[in-house]
Amino acid sequence: MDHTFFRLSLLAVVICTACNSPMQNEQERAAKDSANAPVQGVPEEKSESISLDTTYGDYRISAIASGTGSMRDLILAVGSKKDSTQADSTIEHDVKGQLKNMMIADLDGNDKPELYLQMLSEGTGRFGKIYAFEIGRPKVTRINTVSLDTMQQKDYRGQDTFFIKEKTLVRTFPAFREGDPDALTANTKGIIIYHLQKAGDTLKLVPAK
């Protein structure tokens, strides 16, 4: 019994000595510091915020795109010009591109204006994307823009411009020759005209045929 107690006591001393060893503490600290050290050579993405404001009839509208290039949110606030203390808001997560332009119109003539927010991708391509909403009381409703996002034309290389013309949304872009991304065609502008249509309980933008 005494020998067993002695061996256990000695084992406890050895373990305690090893735990308090200066060499081991330095190694542990080095490993911990290495694990917590920032990754070298990877630049941090800077968070930025871009806001646009407008009014339309009795509406006061603000749009804010905030975050980094890979994690950006779009916040839309809609209120009354008569009461600046209250506003209804909606948020879109992980939006693509930078907020560049805000357009407002009533393309379908239902007395509920639509808001068209133009985003442009970063870099030389400057591919355009539209986030669209119908503004009505009591809520803001997202408009389907799949036809804009899935547009496929052989002469398309980005560099989009969007604008409202009468009751349509117009998209223009430089038209390039097929197979040659650097050579413009004789007609240097591609044009697509979108109409707003009702599809069941939702609205969607569709290209003119």
Side-chain angles (χ1 to χ4, degrees), residues 6-194:
F6 176 78
R7 287 197 297 270
L8 292 175
S9 300
L10 181 61
L11 179 61
V13 171
V14 172
I15 294 174
C16 184
T17 304
C19 290
N20 293 326
S21 168
M23 179 63 70
Q24 185 168 356
N25 285 344
E26 289 179 5
Q27 292 174 345
E28 290 177 350
R29 286 196 297 269
K32 184 177 180 181
D33 292 342
S34 176
N36 294 328
V39 179
Q40 300 296 321
V42 179
E44 291 186 6
E45 291 184 291
K46 293 183 178 180
S47 178
E48 60 180 13
S49 179
I50 299 174
S51 63
L52 297 175
D53 303 280
T54 190
T55 58
Y56 186 91
D58 294 332
Y59 292 103
R60 174 177 45 84
I61 304 163
S62 297
I64 303 172
S66 62
T68 64
S70 58
M71 296 289 290
R72 189 171 286 141
D73 293 332
L74 178 64
I75 304 169
L76 177 63
V78 179
S80 170
K81 290 194 296 186
K82 298 178 182 179
D83 184 2
S84 60
T85 63
Q86 295 184 352
D88 295 324
S89 62
T90 186
I91 184 169
E92 290 284 331
H93 296 288
D94 299 331
V95 297
K96 309 300 182 184
Q98 294 180 319
L99 180 60
K100 291 297 182 183
N101 192 21
M102 172 189 286
M103 299 169 285
I104 189 165
D106 184 9
L107 299 187
D108 58 357
N110 68 348
D111 295 326
K112 294 181 180 179
E114 309 97 35
L115 183 67
Y116 300 94
L117 299 173
Q118 178 186 355
M119 316 289 288
L120 281 181
S121 66
E122 300 175 58
T124 58
R126 297 179 65 81
F127 293 94
K129 183 176 178 64
I130 291 287
Y131 289 88
F133 305 86
E134 183 183 57
I135 300 171
R137 295 184 174 95
K139 63 179 181 178
V140 175
T141 306
R142 176 76 183 271
I143 296 174
N144 187 323
T145 59
V146 171
S147 61
L148 282 79
D149 302 334
T150 57
M151 188 269 292
Q152 294 183 355
Q153 290 198 7
K154 295 179 180 179
D155 57 356
Y156 175 70
R157 300 290 187 275
Q159 302 180 43
D160 290 292
T161 299
F162 293 93
F163 59 91
I164 301 293
K165 183 178 181 180
E166 298 176 349
K167 294 295 185 180
T168 63
L169 174 68
V170 181
R171 176 189 212 156
T172 66
F173 52 88
F176 290 84
R177 294 175 186 167
E178 184 178 353
D180 191 341
D182 299 319
L184 294 171
T185 62
N187 178 15
T188 60
K189 284 290 183 182
I191 300 176
I192 301 178
I193 297 174
Y194 297 92

